[in-house]
Amino acid sequence: MRGICRDGALALGGALGWEVLRRRLRPGPRYRPQERPPYREFPHRVLVVGGGFAGYSAAMELCRLARGRSDVGVMVLSRENYFTFWPMLPGIVSNDVDARNLAQPLRRALIRAGASFRRAELQGVDPERRVVRAGGVEIPYDHLVLALGGEPAYFGIPGVEEHCISLRGIADAERIRNRVIERYEEATLARGEVPDSRLSFVVIGGGATGVETTAALHELVHGALAEDYPNLHPHRVRLTLVDRNPEILKELDPALRRVARRRLEQLNVRILNGATAREVREDRVVLGDGREILSENVIWTAGARASSKLDELPFPHDGRRGLEVDACMRVSGFEEVWGVGDCAANVDAEGDPVPPNAQAAVQEGRAVARNVLAVIDGGKPEPFRYRPLGQLVELGSRFAVNEVLGVRFSGLLASLFWRLTYLYKLESPQSRARVAADWLLDLFTEPAVAQIRR
């Protein structure tokens, strides 16, 4: 009996120790569920519309800054209950990352921080009454932060919307990978007797997304699929990258551009600079100079614009660049409305346009949170100052070109830096652990790939 009591005491002590450790590693939420006041009851209500990098960062920063206060309520309204971790999206194409791990859950993280969350599609805004309509209900606000993001721009080119896959999120990355698998299945069934256009893949757009997607396609074809389809030689698949600029990756240092180009050429990627798409047909891309690329698989990454949802809202905006905002990110003519991320034409303190990337969106979100609280407290907002940290571009799982705080490096070391950086930036601890485990297993195994047809 004494032994049983001793074992029970040890077990209880271990459980209590584990609970103390768990609480240390995972701080409690700002409110317990039963203690948290409803959003509508706060004296100052801040409604964030959009759950991407900018919107999420704004909400989390607001909750952090208002943690000791009971007068500021925060709600996030988003059409999805997750946000996509964009930097790793090409990893879905290459079968390097599980799609589920790039869907960063919004609800739990926001609730733990002290915010409310509603999943609904934005239907309209009434700035006079200060309410937002979404999902058939009205949600009041005292300050409104619009972070609606962007969408592909097609520039009126015939056939792009009908025949191209635009990389807009997780579903599109899976669609690209499934398209490659589908083509392999068709070619295997036909004993290789398929038109060359069936196994030709064209990526239009030579920015970071286009370059990384092209490299991901190569890794998929020459990695997992090469072992699963031994009767189809990987070199039968043709990869072409089309870019209207004189060089790919125009946002990078010229030396890194040349390194990236050489790397893609080593991967047998055909690069066409100074080329534009005049038309996309079912089986080919017609270039501006009349040349044609036979392909039934075209991926569009060549342009972006602000969300078309702005056309339904009563705020001044430019169809391409987004909301008209001042240097403090306030929407012109509306003191209580703010615009951040890809849906706003933000400029920094020097008047230079802010680039539409993730690090800028995060900085804008945090800055607008500080400005909103400053106005609530009777102060003045400050102009946004963008501080670029650099650019990281991965070209396959073992090569990258990076520029960080003026330091330029490439190769395997750059790839390791890329992975460690973005692994750290994943919001979900579970996603970090799963992605790290997948990458570790990939060093010793060759994961098989499957197409889940719906």
Side-chain angles (χ1 to χ4, degrees):
M1 178 66 70
R2 189 176 299 168
I4 294 175
C5 292
R6 184 175 63 251
D7 292 344
L10 289 173
L12 179 60
L16 290 173
W18 175 255
E19 179 65 16
V20 170
L21 179 61
R22 184 186 68 82
R23 291 187 178 185
R24 288 280 186 181
L25 294 176
R26 190 177 69 188
R30 180 176 164 197
Y31 299 101
R32 293 183 183 275
Q34 66 271 20
E35 295 176 353
R36 189 179 174 283
Y39 163 79
R40 296 170 185 265
E41 294 182 6
F42 283 95
H44 302 287
R45 298 160 300 187
V46 184
L47 179 60
V48 180
V49 181
F53 278 105
Y56 178 79
S57 299
M60 294 297 282
E61 185 73 358
L62 278 163
C63 290
R64 186 185 71 81
L65 295 174
R67 189 171 182 85
R69 302 172 57 159
S70 59
D71 63 330
V72 178
V74 181
M75 176 180 284
V76 174
L77 175 70
S78 176
R79 63 184 177 186
E80 304 289 353
N81 59 12
Y82 67 90
F83 80 86
T84 301
F85 192 75
W86 273 91
M88 288 186 179
L89 208 57
I92 297 175
V93 177
S94 64
N95 199 44
D96 194 41
V97 177
D98 191 317
R100 294 172 299 176
N101 294 328
L102 300 192
Q104 303 295 282
L106 286 172
R107 183 177 290 277
R108 180 177 294 184
L110 289 168
I111 288 176
R112 284 186 176 277
S116 300
F117 177 80
R118 297 293 183 271
R119 186 183 71 176
E121 186 78 30
L122 175 65
Q123 295 171 324
V125 179
D126 186 340
E128 292 186 1
R129 296 173 53 226
R130 293 191 181 183
V131 295
V132 163
R133 295 186 300 276
V137 301
E138 291 188 343
I139 304 174
Y141 67 84
D142 297 296
H143 285 271
L144 175 64
V145 179
L146 294 172
L148 300 174
E151 57 190 49
Y154 301 120
F155 310 109
I157 300 173
V160 172
E161 291 189 71
E162 295 83 359
H163 303 301
C164 292
I165 301 177
S166 298
L167 193 56
R168 293 167 293 191
I170 292 173
D172 293 310
E174 290 186 307
R175 186 180 169 199
I176 294 170
R177 185 189 62 199
N178 287 340
R179 173 69 68 85
V180 181
I181 299 171
E182 185 69 25
R183 295 308 190 212
Y184 264 70
E185 294 288 359
E186 293 170 356
T188 301
L189 187 63
R191 299 182 179 181
E193 298 297 324
V194 294
D196 289 340
S197 61
R198 196 72 55 84
L199 295 174
S200 171
F201 293 82
V202 177
V203 178
I204 302 178
T209 301
V211 168
E212 290 184 328
T213 301
T214 304
L217 284 168
H218 178 275
E219 187 149 315
L220 176 65
V221 168
H222 291 263
L225 296 185
E227 185 173 344
D228 293 348
Y229 299 87
N231 295 329
L232 190 62
H233 199 285
H235 290 293
R236 176 81 189 277
V237 177
R238 293 182 302 171
L239 300 177
T240 305
L241 178 62
V242 177
D243 185 28
R244 66 182 179 88
N245 297 295
E247 295 182 275
I248 59 172
L249 298 172
K250 66 175 183 178
E251 62 272 22
L252 281 184
D253 177 82
L256 289 180
R257 296 178 205 163
R258 293 191 291 272
V259 172
R261 184 185 182 92
R262 285 197 300 269
R263 176 63 177 178
L264 289 177
E265 289 174 342
Q266 290 170 359
L267 302 178
N268 293 320
V269 174
R270 180 188 179 195
I271 303 174
L272 300 179
N273 280 115
T276 58
R278 189 174 69 194
E279 182 183 0
V280 178
R281 301 176 187 169
E282 187 177 0
D283 63 345
R284 69 194 62 200
V285 177
V286 182
L287 301 180
D289 57 7
R291 287 180 294 171
E292 296 184 351
I293 307 172
L294 296 179
S295 175
E296 299 178 32
N297 317 285
V298 184
I299 300 160
W300 181 265
T301 67
R305 52 154 291 170
S307 171
S308 58
K309 180 64 72 172
L310 294 176
D311 297 335
E312 305 171 19
L313 304 182
F315 305 118
H317 67 280
D318 175 271
R320 177 79 190 279
R321 299 183 60 236
L323 290 164
E324 294 180 11
V325 293
D326 62 17
C328 301
M329 295 174 287
R330 260 180 171 160
V331 175
S332 300
F334 296 86
E335 292 291 310
E336 73 288 346
V337 183
W338 312 75
V340 292
D342 293 349
C343 78
N346 277 310
V347 295
D348 60 20
E350 286 71 39
D352 297 322
V354 178
N357 56 35
Q359 62 174 305
V362 170
Q363 292 182 33
E364 288 175 21
R366 292 171 178 167
V368 81
R370 295 191 293 270
N371 281 348
V372 168
L373 282 182
V375 172
I376 289 174
D377 293 335
K380 293 184 178 180
E382 294 184 357
F384 173 62
R385 287 177 170 77
Y386 174 56
R387 296 176 175 82
L389 303 177
Q391 184 85 6
L392 312 180
V393 181
E394 188 179 48
L395 294 91
S397 59
R398 293 174 177 81
F399 197 94
V401 289
N402 299 340
E403 184 173 1
V404 182
L405 299 176
V407 179
R408 297 178 289 273
F409 55 110
S410 60
L412 179 61
L413 177 62
S415 179
L416 292 173
F417 183 89
W418 186 100
R419 296 200 161 205
L420 289 173
T421 298
Y422 285 126
L423 192 66
Y424 170 76
K425 289 181 177 294
L426 278 169
E427 291 291 335
S428 167
Q430 293 87 352
S431 293
R432 286 194 208 116
R434 289 167 182 154
V435 170
D438 285 345
W439 284 346
L440 183 62
L441 288 173
D442 288 351
L443 296 175
F444 307 101
T445 64
E446 187 65 54
V449 62
Q451 176 190 7
I452 301 175
R453 297 193 290 179
R454 295 179 175 86

